[in-house]
Amino acid sequence: MNWFRTAWLGRLPLWLTYWVLGVGGNMSFVALLLATYAVAGAGAQPLLWGLYLASLIWFVFIFGAIWRAAGVYPGRRIWPLLARLGVLIGIARMSAEALLIVNLPGITQHLAARWV
């Protein structure tokens, strides 16, 4: 069984799933998005959307894995509750990132010109 399947089924330790794969993976995508925007600005919007979509795929995978790992966590009940709260906060963060990308300067005109 590969580690993707093991993680998805919630069979990796909660600390590893949450902190290393979840926080580490998601912050890596945030860093890539910020670095891309810092270097290329709003002109890199197609690349930003590509990175965002890749992070969304990771988000769905890892947050499903975290949710499942929290469901089988054998320790104190506070840790799985906090992990699941982190998943919900992550949903809000991903939504905010999408809004930021949509509202980049010039994107409205670009989309309007493309679809009209």
Side-chain angles (χ1 to χ4, degrees), residues 29-30 32-37 40-58 93-112 114-115:
F29 277 111
V30 169
L32 280 171
L33 285 164
L34 292 174
T36 301
Y37 185 71
Q45 208 246 346
L47 180 56
L48 291 170
W49 272 114
L51 287 170
Y52 177 78
L53 291 175
S55 73
L56 186 60
I57 292 167
W58 179 255
R93 181 188 60 82
M94 291 296 289
S95 301
E97 283 178 6
L99 289 173
L100 287 172
I101 293 171
V102 165
N103 290 309
L104 286 174
I107 187 56
T108 306
Q109 296 82 7
H110 174 74
L111 290 176
R114 190 169 190 176
W115 295 102

Side-chain angles (χ1 to χ4, degrees), residues 7-8 10 59-69 87:
W8 180 251
F59 167 84
V60 170
F61 164 74
I62 200 57
F63 285 175
I66 291 169
W67 200 269
R68 288 181 180 89
V87 167

